[in-house]
């Protein structure tokens, strides 16, 4: 085989267990939505199972790597796998951005009578299309009283994430030079930036929900706002956990200047999250 031998891992129980745990979590979520609190316990059990399986599965992968079982072919397979995973995440956020652009570009003008042959005007004669939509055409839907100022907390979070990508790059460059102290120091700073971002977004959500009337029930603006920023916030939490795990591995000396794909994969994910936030800041908060 060109490119050397290919390491085939031993038979693993983790894929089937992960599938069962994920199914349990989905059943619990559905039960929670339909039948109430009993479903939340099932969902929580599934979630805890998923996290435990992921930790044990990654432990096995790390052990295989530390035992020197991977060659260039296996390295390429990991890179392709991570690349396709990030592509799937791009499509995930593209769907939500697409919904936002559809509402702003097509739906609102139609509700205002554009291209509707006057039908919409009969339903809501006083409606005027605008974004953010503070006054939904249906009087039974209460829009937000105000919107968040993009030049306060959202701007701070933007600066934090952009800076965190820079500090992560510094950490990566230090690792490639064999400077383990520099890699560790800059990675600590990056993790702290991620944690502060999450805290600030929590404060922002509290301010929006309690003081501005910006909730999930606040019309299409409220639902798109929380869907986009909420899923992004979840990705920041996951990314911060990934970076914290990488920090522990750097401490243990798991990486060297040439073999550190796990670090690169975490960096790819974090830079992706950063780029998505820039899009959110521009199209959800500013414009």
């Amino acid at each position: 085989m060109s490119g050397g031998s290919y390491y085939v891992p031993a038979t693993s129980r983790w894929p089937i267990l992960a599938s069962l745990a994920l199914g349990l979590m989905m059943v619990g979520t559905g039960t929670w939505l339909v039948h109430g609190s009993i479903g939340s316990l099932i969902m929580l059990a599934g979630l805890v199972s998923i996290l435990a399986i992921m930790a044990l599965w990654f432990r096995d992968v790390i052990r295989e790597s530390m035992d020197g079982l991977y060659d260039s072919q296996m390295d390429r397979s990991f890179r392709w796998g991570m690349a396709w995973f990030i592509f799937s995440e791009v499509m995930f956020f593209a769907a939500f951005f697409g919904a936002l652009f559809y509402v702003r570009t097509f739906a609102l003008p139609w509700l205002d009578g554009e291209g509707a042959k006057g039908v919409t005007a009969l339903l809501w004669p006083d409606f005027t299309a605008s974004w953010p939509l503070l006054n939904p055409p249906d009087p039974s839907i209460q829009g937000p009283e105000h919107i968040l100022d993009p030049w306060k907390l959202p701007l701070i979070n933007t600066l934090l994430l952009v800076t965190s990508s820079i500090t992560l790059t510094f950490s990566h460059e230090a690792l490639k030079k064999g400077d383990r102290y520099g890699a560790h120091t800059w990675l600590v700073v990056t993790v702290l930036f991620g944690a502060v971002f999450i805290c600030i977004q929590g404060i922002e959500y509290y301010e929006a929900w309690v003081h501005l009337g910006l909730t999930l029930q606040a019309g299409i603006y409220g639902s798109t706002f929380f869907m986009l920023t909420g899923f992004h916030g979840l990705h920041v939490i996951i990314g911060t956990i990934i970076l914290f795990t990488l920090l522990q591995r750097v401490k243990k000396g798991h990486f060297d200047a040439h073999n550190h794909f796990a670090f690169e994969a975490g960096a790819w994910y974090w830079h992706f999250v950063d780029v998505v936030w820039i899009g959110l800041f521009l199209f959800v908060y500013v414009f």
Side-chain angles (χ1 to χ4, degrees), residues 215-236:
T215 68
L216 279 169
Q217 291 75 38
I220 189 64
Y221 180 75
S223 59
T224 53
F225 173 84
F226 281 105
M227 287 295 286
L228 279 162
T229 62
F231 273 117
H232 178 268
L234 176 62
H235 281 70
V236 174

Side-chain angles (χ1 to χ4, degrees), residues 244-281:
F244 182 77
T245 303
L246 293 175
L247 179 61
Q248 306 313 307
R249 295 193 63 190
V250 169
K251 286 182 179 180
K252 294 181 178 180
H254 282 191
F255 305 124
D256 60 38
H258 304 289
N259 300 303
H260 53 263
F261 174 68
F263 191 102
E264 290 185 54
W268 291 359
Y269 186 86
W270 191 257
H271 294 318
F272 160 74
V273 169
D274 189 8
V275 171
V276 171
W277 176 259
I278 292 174
L280 285 174
F281 179 69

Side-chain angles (χ1 to χ4, degrees), residues 16-287:
I16 185 62
L17 291 177
S19 299
L20 293 173
L22 183 61
L24 181 65
M25 187 172 68
M26 293 299 100
V27 169
T29 302
T31 305
W32 187 10
L33 293 174
V34 176
H35 299 293
S37 59
I38 184 63
S40 64
L41 298 177
I42 300 173
M43 185 274 291
L44 183 61
L47 177 60
V48 171
S49 299
I50 280 286
L51 294 176
I53 291 168
M54 288 176 63
L56 294 171
W57 197 348
F58 290 153
R59 178 204 62 185
D60 288 352
V61 173
I62 291 170
R63 286 177 176 175
E64 291 168 357
S65 176
M66 297 303 295
D67 288 340
L69 296 174
Y70 298 155
D71 63 359
S72 59
Q73 181 69 25
M74 182 61 81
D75 181 74
R76 284 194 295 273
S77 71
F78 277 122
R79 292 178 185 276
W80 274 106
M82 190 64 189
W84 281 114
F85 169 70
I86 291 179
F87 177 76
S88 73
E89 293 282 61
V90 170
M91 293 296 99
F92 177 85
F93 279 101
F96 291 115
F97 275 109
L100 176 66
F101 293 144
Y102 179 85
V103 168
R104 296 179 60 171
T105 306
F106 297 106
L108 283 179
W110 289 340
L111 290 176
D112 198 17
E114 181 181 314
K117 307 299 184 182
V119 174
T120 307
L122 295 175
L123 296 175
W124 300 294
D126 298 326
F127 175 70
T128 301
S130 63
W131 191 265
L133 188 60
L134 301 182
N135 298 298
D138 190 337
S140 65
I141 300 175
Q142 180 63 48
E145 299 172 8
H146 304 283
I147 62 173
L148 288 160
D149 186 349
W151 308 114
K152 292 182 179 178
L153 293 181
L155 178 60
I156 294 173
N157 264 351
T158 302
L159 295 175
L160 280 171
L161 269 194
V162 171
T163 306
S164 73
S165 272
I166 296 172
T167 58
L168 182 57
T169 301
F170 287 165
S171 178
H172 190 194
E173 290 300 316
L175 184 60
K176 289 193 290 186
K177 294 176 182 177
D179 179 8
R180 191 168 300 278
Y181 175 79
H184 176 269
T185 302
W186 286 114
L187 191 53
V188 167
V189 174
T190 306
V191 170
L192 289 176
F193 280 155
V196 173
F197 177 96
I198 296 166
C199 292
I200 291 178
Q201 189 164 42
I203 296 171
E204 177 187 277
Y205 272 17
Y206 176 82
E207 178 72 17
W209 200 283
V210 175
H211 299 294
L212 303 181
L214 179 55
T215 68
L216 279 169
Q217 291 75 38
I220 189 64
Y221 180 75
S223 59
T224 53
F225 173 84
F226 281 105
M227 287 295 286
L228 279 162
T229 62
F231 273 117
H232 178 268
L234 176 62
H235 281 70
V236 174
I237 292 173
I238 294 171
T240 304
I241 294 172
I242 290 172
L243 294 181
F244 182 77
T245 303
L246 293 175
L247 179 61
Q248 306 313 307
R249 295 193 63 190
V250 169
K251 286 182 179 180
K252 294 181 178 180
H254 282 191
F255 305 124
D256 60 38
H258 304 289
N259 300 303
H260 53 263
F261 174 68
F263 191 102
E264 290 185 54
W268 291 359
Y269 186 86
W270 191 257
H271 294 318
F272 160 74
V273 169
D274 189 8
V275 171
V276 171
W277 176 259
I278 292 174
L280 285 174
F281 179 69
L282 292 175
F283 297 112
V284 174
Y285 290 97
V286 178
F287 299 117

